[in-house]
Amino acid sequence: MNKKGFVLIAAVMLLIFSPFIFSLFYLNLVTEILILAIFALSLNILVGYTGLVSLGHAAFFGVGAYMSAILAREISPNFFLTLFASLAAAIIASAIIGIFCVKVSGFYFLMLTLAFSQMIYSFVHQSTTITGGSNGLSGIPSPLIGSLDFSNPVYFYYLILLLFILIYGGLSLIVHSPFGQVLIGIRENETRLKSMGYHTTLYKLAAFVLAGGLGGVAGSLYTSFNSFISPSDVYWTMSGSVLIMVLIGGSGTMIGPVLGAAFIVILETIVSSYTTMWMMIIGIIFILFVVFFPKGIVGLGKLLFQSFSKSNKLSAISGKKSNALYNNDVKN
Amino acid sequence: MDIIGAQLVNSISYGLLLFVITCGLSLVFGILGVLNLAHGSLYMIGAYVSYSITVHSGQNFWLALIIAPLAVAVCSLIIEMILLRPTYQLGHLSQVLLTFGLAYVIHDMTAAIWGSDVLSIPLPQSLSGTVTLFNQAFPVYRLAVIAIGLILAGLLWFIQEKTRWGAIIRAGLSDKEMICALGVNIQLVFTVVFFIGGYLAGFGGVIAAPILGLYPSMEFQTLILALVVLVIGGLGSIAGTFVASLTIGIVETFCRFLVPELSLFVVFGLMAVVLIVKPNGLLGRQVVKH
Amino acid sequence: MKKKLFLIMLVVFLAVLSACGNSAIQSTSKKEEGGSKSGGTIKIGVLLPDSGVYASLGKHLHKGMELYFDSIDWKIGSKKIEIIKEDSEADPQVALRKARKLIDQDKVDILTGTVSTAVAYAIRDEVDKKKIPFLVSHAGGNDLTRSKRSDYIWRSSFSSWQIGNSLGEWAFHNVGKTMYIAAADYAFGREVSEAFKEAYTAAGGKIVGEVYPPLGNNDYSSYLTTIKNAKAEAVYAFFAGSDAVRFVQQYDQFGLKEDKKLIGSGWLVSEDVRKSQGNAGVGTISSIFWDYSIKTEENRQFKEAFEKKYNERPTIEALEGYDAAKIIAEALTTLDGDASDPDKVVEAISNVEFISPRGPIKFDKETHHVIQNMYIIETKLVNGQTENEVIEIIEEVRDPGK
């Protein structure tokens, strides 16, 4: 078996064994990392593969999360109901918002996504009757499948793990498919693709909806995990946070966002237990990554790996010379 | 009708305050193409420094107005030299991200120096009275802000349109390579522009502090507001920033007056509409795409 | 071949790891054993914001708690008190993570805090499920002791209802028959003003208009202009922190003080914002459960001890921290320091009563909420500085619980 498959299997085994190794607190942390990793993976479709940097992704997370919360409280906490309703709501929202956003690019895209997400935020924050306003919605019942109650954190962990593996696998297939190749083409040189006859706007919209829908799924899982949702999870700082996860992890790769999510969650949790200056530390690390490791943790990992292998001192140096942040090789 | 007049005065005052705060960001983005997400942080430093000068050391407001913007300009000079100059080749997006990380760092540094209590700066004695207009009492300071905003706008317009520096800046906006070829030291221009941008941010901080106060996370609130102004006005255009600030001032003030629950929503809605219909903003020029 | 060997070794390694140690499977399948928690120390988890908008409130709560524990030498019976602090950042998402850490990882006996009501709501289910006694020392959302009540959640601070309601009737008789309401548009602002409206209209008063500026709004000029032109005798306002500083300042600057008295909650003119307001707050009347100016022996001793240790005046939040610490200490003293049974701990808490610097306090056994005095205070100019003065006391205010 090749190197990649080996690493993959080892990782999956580690994840399966987690509840047996980790204490409850760390297991919950891993669950949270997996959910945020799904969120980061969804943003990565836009940022890493299509080259559209969005600062409004929290909007879809929020739509999915609140949909899930309201349904679970008012109708039924059936897991499939909340999950699919959230997915549907997020798809509709991203389709509507996407139609406008894909018409612009670069800085304008960044600002437009921000504007839409802030509009959704202010709606959520003000509508106290539907969304609980600034206090959020709490006491959301744990998800149910049939009569199986997922309030047990270990069962819930396995459910999330299963979903994560499915989504990761599914996205890998999409990204390596012809569709994915078109997205990468749009990122590299949209004009060229257009001249080849591709309707790039349609592809961008599709990517936007895919990203938004999955973002909504992440939001729904988040609500089920915490039994709680509040407007701060729809605020632009959430969008900024997931963008940092994608960029630090390594945008344009599949494993990057997952590593980024893990990195940020662990950093936030552990660092802030020791110091109140955690923002400064995250800021410095972020700056270091942007300047020295623009390919993120994945790039850093590759660099270290290459410098350990006997031949290839040369490729280690050329690895450092890459510039733009999301210019990654197609094979990933 | 009086109340409409009064709200109009409020709008213009608030709008021009926005202008004073945002023009530095607009200038830097227009020339350097770098969206300085640490602009709010520089504004905050200006406010805190003037707090230290006025409240802590009991000096006068006008002294703070002279010193604080210079202090902030020096900070931004240091930032330009250490962070931005070595990284221009990474591209605009990376530099934007750098400034974002910087904002985080500055956040904790200012909290460490000045604490996290809510603070405020008293109005300068000479401007602390009230004046009656439209049967309404207005603090003189608010009217002073209108005057300051207009003077600043006029000054910036004059420099941009009528002086050699302005010509260089306008040319740099359209075609950087060309002015390099014409013998202008583009690096110097960038540094000077960033210095001025920082000065304006600090200046905004001192002027706005007596009205808006100092509190944790103020820089992020201000940043979002500045971004909205920037987008609506059009990138790289001082005139655009001016028009946008006034527009937002009027829209937001009248919204608060007529439909208070929607004021936040409307501002972002306006931003979205402008981006969709006229992405270059109300008066924007096409900024060099990255 | 080598890779297969590695995989096998990995499996063995994992199996060994899972056999020993405190894994999630083990802790979720075991029933609560309890005995593993106590030892020679009582662990108190303190979840307060050390960073973000509410950081200064968190700091004051910490200071009050530490002052009290200092006075008893950090000992209850033969056991030592250990505080484990975590920064909630006033963000429910982060706070829940930290609460889990305190409960699952650090195994605290008692939890106390939080500042933000959203955070309290976020951790409510966790606390209830895991049976951790949670003494709420600030967050005032009504529902916490109403619809979201739990056997393990007891609140020693205040409820939005107590704050708003206490001024309602008094305002009708002593301030004016018509009122305009201005409150920050978030749950806290809405709840307090709602309670005020209820009491005020029940007494016969008329609400002429209401406006809810967004939280963190920086420019009230537009709202103030509207209010100035309204036919109300006075304005009831709820703002806190930087909003309170700006609103009160601008209220004065725009000349509203001349014809409309400003009344509201104590946070409009609390110790930490009055200095920044200059003289703008003079003449304001507000309702609150503790003020610096309360003239009792207990308050005098508290102020003296606080100022000696920290060289600054105590604030409302400092008092809340102080009382919370005292409640925990007194409850555990009756149990001789044994915090192993959460049901016994909450029962002990429910029985605590004493005279605090804010007056006599005790718990309502049904709602789990504190019963306390409310004070009507007026802000006056004394020797060139603004000071509050108690002008009326409303005794034994009990939250209705629904």
Side-chain angles (χ1 to χ4, degrees):
Chain A
M1 64 179 91
N2 65 0
K3 197 170 49 186
K4 260 222 186 121
F6 168 71
V7 169
L8 207 66
I9 292 187
V12 171
M13 274 198 341
L14 188 65
L15 285 174
I16 293 180
F17 269 89
S18 292
F20 297 94
I21 314 170
F22 290 128
S23 67
L24 188 58
F25 171 65
Y26 287 112
L27 184 72
N28 276 328
L29 216 58
V30 176
T31 314
E32 192 169 355
I33 289 175
L34 288 177
I35 296 177
L36 291 175
I38 294 177
F39 188 36
L41 281 169
S42 74
L43 182 62
N44 192 29
I45 297 172
L46 277 177
V47 175
Y49 288 99
T50 321
L52 292 169
V53 181
S54 155
L55 201 55
H57 212 56
F60 309 116
F61 185 83
V63 165
Y66 271 96
M67 181 55 113
S68 215
I70 297 172
L71 280 182
R73 263 166 50 130
E74 306 295 322
I75 303 185
S76 144
N78 181 304
F79 186 68
F80 292 118
L81 172 70
T82 54
L83 192 66
F84 285 110
S86 304
L87 179 63
I91 287 180
I92 295 174
S94 50
I96 298 175
I97 293 178
I99 291 180
F100 296 109
C101 289
V102 296
K103 295 211 163 79
V104 298
S105 60
F107 173 72
Y108 303 104
F109 181 81
L110 193 74
M111 289 289 109
L112 192 56
T113 49
L114 176 66
F116 275 116
S117 118
Q118 283 300 94
M119 292 201 304
I120 293 186
Y121 168 77
S122 37
F123 172 71
V124 161
H125 188 93
Q126 315 285 73
S127 329
T128 319
T129 38
I130 313 175
T131 60
S134 57
N135 274 345
L137 289 172
S138 63
I140 297 167
S142 319
L144 285 172
I145 295 186
S147 54
L148 191 60
D149 182 343
F150 282 91
S151 55
N152 182 318
V154 177
Y155 293 162
F156 191 75
Y157 170 75
Y158 280 121
L159 181 64
I160 299 291
L161 183 61
L162 183 65
L163 268 169
F164 173 76
I165 292 177
L166 287 172
I167 292 178
Y168 189 92
L171 275 181
S172 292
L173 286 173
I174 292 179
V175 153
H176 289 109
S177 76
F179 174 74
Q181 300 297 319
V182 174
L183 293 186
I184 296 173
I186 293 178
R187 179 188 81 204
E188 298 296 318
N189 194 334
E190 187 175 348
T191 333
R192 188 174 248 180
L193 235 66
K194 267 201 216 161
S195 68
M196 281 162 68
Y198 283 98
H199 203 308
T200 54
T201 310
L202 219 57
Y203 277 92
K204 286 200 281 193
L205 185 61
F208 199 86
V209 172
L210 179 62
L214 273 178
V217 166
S220 163
L221 294 176
Y222 200 71
T223 303
S224 304
F225 175 58
N226 283 331
S227 305
F228 177 82
I229 189 68
S230 84
S232 61
D233 297 322
V234 196
Y235 199 50
W236 65 269
T237 42
M238 182 68 166
S239 300
S241 188
V242 68
L243 186 61
I244 291 180
M245 284 179 199
V246 171
L247 293 174
I248 285 192
S251 74
T253 66
M254 279 302 292
I255 195 69
V258 180
L259 293 176
F263 186 72
I264 294 293
V265 169
I266 293 174
L267 200 69
E268 267 182 10
T269 311
I270 298 191
V271 169
S272 69
S273 294
Y274 290 110
T275 165
T276 49
M277 308 265 267
W278 55 273
M279 262 185 121
M280 176 160 91
I281 295 179
I282 289 188
I284 293 177
I285 292 181
F286 189 59
I287 291 178
L288 288 174
F289 266 89
V290 170
V291 177
F292 296 113
F293 310 114
K295 293 201 181 179
I297 297 179
V298 172
L300 176 61
K302 280 207 189 132
L303 213 65
L304 288 175
F305 198 72
Q306 277 167 345
S307 62
F308 282 148
S309 63
K310 276 177 256 181
S311 47
N312 287 331
K313 273 286 166 67
L314 211 64
S315 51
I317 298 173
S318 66
K320 260 195 217 166
K321 281 234 167 82
S322 58
N323 46 13
L325 210 61
Y326 45 97
N327 231 344
N328 278 288
D329 41 46
V330 174
K331 271 164 272 181
N332 261 326
Chain B
M1 270 308 107
D2 269 348
I3 194 170
I4 305 269
Q7 296 291 28
L8 211 59
V9 174
N10 283 334
S11 312
I12 297 178
S13 173
Y14 182 59
L16 283 170
L17 186 66
L18 282 182
F19 175 71
V20 171
I21 296 174
T22 311
C23 57
L25 183 67
S26 180
L27 191 67
V28 167
F29 188 39
I31 310 297
L32 270 59
V34 175
L35 184 65
N36 181 11
L37 293 181
H39 181 81
S41 313
L42 293 172
Y43 156 87
M44 175 174 72
I45 295 177
Y48 272 115
V49 168
S50 57
Y51 171 81
S52 287
I53 296 177
T54 50
V55 176
H56 224 69
S57 319
Q59 297 302 333
N60 123 14
F61 179 80
W62 305 105
L63 191 67
L65 194 60
I66 297 177
I67 297 183
L70 278 174
V72 177
V74 168
C75 286
S76 47
L77 189 66
I78 297 175
I79 293 172
E80 205 270 335
M81 292 197 313
I82 298 182
L83 205 61
L84 294 177
R85 211 183 285 182
T87 54
Y88 278 117
Q89 70 270 27
L90 290 178
H92 290 313
L93 183 65
S94 301
Q95 295 207 301
V96 171
L97 297 172
L98 280 180
T99 56
F100 189 57
L102 188 65
Y104 269 48
V105 174
I106 295 180
H107 178 93
D108 274 351
M109 278 169 49
T110 41
I113 301 177
W114 283 284
S116 37
D117 287 333
V118 172
L119 302 169
S120 105
I121 299 182
L123 296 174
Q125 269 304 95
S126 45
L127 294 176
S128 55
T130 53
V131 140
T132 314
L133 281 174
F134 297 105
N135 257 327
Q136 193 75 25
F138 285 98
V140 170
Y141 193 74
R142 296 281 177 135
L143 302 175
V145 167
I146 295 182
I148 293 174
L150 289 173
I151 295 175
L152 186 63
L155 210 65
L156 286 175
W157 177 84
F158 181 79
I159 293 178
Q160 195 167 282
E161 295 297 314
K162 303 281 180 196
T163 65
R164 187 163 178 272
W165 262 112
I168 294 175
I169 286 173
R170 275 180 292 136
L173 259 177
S174 323
D175 197 332
K176 289 193 179 67
E177 276 100 24
M178 200 55 190
I179 38 171
C180 280
L182 289 175
V184 172
N185 182 349
I186 197 71
Q187 192 50 63
L188 186 63
V189 173
F190 280 5
T191 307
V192 169
V193 167
F194 205 77
F195 182 83
I196 297 178
Y199 184 87
L200 290 170
F203 185 76
V206 181
I207 298 289
I211 299 180
L212 305 182
L214 300 94
Y215 50 95
S217 303
M218 66 192 274
E219 76 271 44
F220 294 116
Q221 252 196 324
T222 312
L223 181 66
I224 289 278
L225 217 52
L227 285 178
V228 175
V229 171
L230 202 63
V231 164
I232 293 181
L235 315 166
S237 161
I238 296 288
T241 309
F242 185 76
V243 170
S245 309
L246 281 176
T247 308
I248 293 180
I250 295 176
V251 167
E252 212 176 332
T253 305
F254 277 93
C255 236
R256 286 175 186 162
F257 169 46
L258 299 166
V259 268
E261 305 81 51
L262 290 181
S263 52
L264 204 63
F265 188 87
V266 166
V267 170
F268 285 107
L270 188 63
M271 182 179 173
V273 166
V274 169
L275 278 169
I276 294 171
V277 170
K278 211 168 184 281
N280 282 335
L282 297 176
L283 289 178
R285 310 163 209 230
Q286 185 83 0
V287 172
V288 177
K289 290 258 182 75
H290 39 83
Chain C
M1 193 54 218
K2 237 202 265 184
K3 297 198 175 123
K4 289 213 182 104
L5 184 64
F6 185 82
L7 275 180
I8 294 173
M9 282 184 58
L10 185 63
V11 175
V12 171
F13 176 64
L14 291 177
V16 168
L17 260 187
S18 57
C20 52
N22 173 28
S23 75
I25 287 259
Q26 291 169 341
S27 48
T28 52
S29 47
K30 262 198 299 205
K31 290 301 166 205
E32 277 309 312
E33 283 192 2
S36 50
K37 280 206 256 175
S38 327
T41 46
I42 300 169
K43 292 199 200 158
I44 303 179
V46 180
L47 189 63
L48 288 171
D50 289 322
S51 56
V53 188
Y54 294 134
S56 65
L57 299 180
K59 285 200 177 69
H60 294 139
L61 275 148
H62 274 305
K63 285 187 177 161
M65 285 194 82
E66 280 165 22
L67 181 68
Y68 183 76
F69 284 139
D70 273 351
S71 72
I72 57 168
D73 240 346
W74 294 82
K75 278 231 257 300
I76 295 179
S78 58
K79 302 233 173 120
K80 267 181 70 246
I81 300 171
E82 185 191 335
I83 285 192
I84 305 179
K85 291 194 223 179
E86 283 296 343
D87 182 4
S88 72
E89 297 168 26
D91 178 339
Q93 168 191 359
V94 172
L96 191 50
R97 232 185 266 159
K98 300 289 176 69
R100 287 197 181 114
K101 173 182 174 288
L102 287 171
I103 298 174
D104 298 327
Q105 190 79 352
D106 300 318
K107 303 240 187 295
V108 294
D109 301 306
I110 297 181
L111 189 64
T112 179
T114 62
V115 166
S116 148
T117 298
V119 165
Y121 286 170
I123 68 177
R124 184 245 170 234
D125 280 350
E126 193 76 18
V127 158
D128 184 56
K129 202 164 55 170
K130 304 245 169 87
K131 299 191 201 286
I132 305 285
F134 177 28
L135 185 65
V136 181
S137 52
H138 182 85
N142 287 333
D143 284 341
L144 203 53
T145 47
R146 294 184 186 181
S147 59
K148 296 197 201 302
R149 205 183 291 165
S150 152
D151 287 340
Y152 301 96
I153 299 184
W154 293 76
R155 178 156 58 189
S156 61
S157 53
F158 63 90
S159 67
S160 312
W161 185 89
Q162 282 175 324
I163 305 287
N165 182 80
S166 47
L167 197 50
E169 199 183 322
W170 192 91
F172 178 74
H173 294 296
N174 298 285
V175 177
K177 314 260 183 279
T178 52
M179 188 77 63
Y180 202 100
I181 311 248
D185 193 359
Y186 66 129
F188 195 15
R190 294 245 177 202
E191 278 186 1
V192 173
S193 49
E194 199 54 50
F196 174 80
K197 277 196 297 184
E198 205 181 278
Y200 185 69
T201 47
K206 182 160 174 294
I207 308 281
V208 163
E210 325 171 33
V211 76
Y212 299 93
L215 185 63
N217 181 60
N218 44 28
D219 186 31
Y220 295 97
S221 57
S222 169
Y223 303 106
L224 290 169
T225 308
T226 311
I227 297 175
K228 182 127 169 106
N229 287 288
K231 294 199 176 5
E233 290 168 62
V235 175
Y236 180 86
F238 180 89
F239 295 99
S242 57
D243 285 358
V245 173
R246 284 190 294 260
F247 185 81
V248 172
Q249 275 180 333
Q250 292 173 17
Y251 193 87
D252 182 33
Q253 286 167 3
F254 280 83
L256 273 86
K257 259 198 339 189
E258 296 158 12
D259 53 351
K260 292 180 171 54
K261 197 148 190 71
L262 180 61
I263 71 175
S265 81
W267 281 283
L268 275 182
V269 288
S270 59
E271 289 303 319
D272 47 342
V273 302
R274 259 198 349 262
K275 230 177 24 172
S276 303
Q277 288 167 344
N279 291 348
V282 174
T284 308
I285 293 185
S286 48
S287 63
I288 193 66
F289 53 93
W290 174 86
D291 188 79
Y292 189 80
S293 58
I294 291 176
K295 291 183 176 34
T296 61
E297 180 58 25
E298 288 81 15
N299 199 26
R300 193 194 61 77
Q301 285 180 358
F302 167 64
K303 289 191 299 191
E304 200 179 291
F306 193 89
E307 283 166 16
K308 185 157 165 225
K309 183 171 162 110
Y310 297 111
N311 214 359
E312 61 183 43
R313 285 196 182 185
T315 59
I316 299 171
E317 289 73 32
L319 176 278
E320 288 176 320
Y322 184 82
D323 274 353
K326 184 161 179 181
I327 290 171
I328 293 176
E330 302 235 328
L332 289 179
T333 307
T334 63
L335 294 175
D336 232 348
D338 181 8
S340 55
D341 185 349
D343 294 304
K344 290 219 180 82
V345 171
V346 295
E347 198 189 317
I349 290 178
S350 73
N351 288 324
V352 170
E353 59 179 275
F354 56 82
I355 314 243
S356 129
R358 57 175 130 161
I361 60 172
K362 59 179 188 257
F363 284 102
D364 181 329
K365 303 243 171 135
E366 197 189 312
T367 61
H368 305 182
H369 188 79
V370 67
I371 301 173
Q372 58 188 337
N373 292 352
M374 290 297 298
Y375 298 91
I376 314 270
I377 61 178
E378 185 173 357
T379 310
K380 302 200 163 130
L381 201 57
V382 174
N383 293 334
Q385 270 201 339
T386 55
E387 295 285 352
N388 291 334
E389 188 185 305
V390 176
I391 55 180
E392 183 121 355
I393 304 179
I394 304 178
E395 294 186 352
E396 278 209 32
V397 178
R398 191 187 279 257
D399 187 279
K402 54 178 169 309

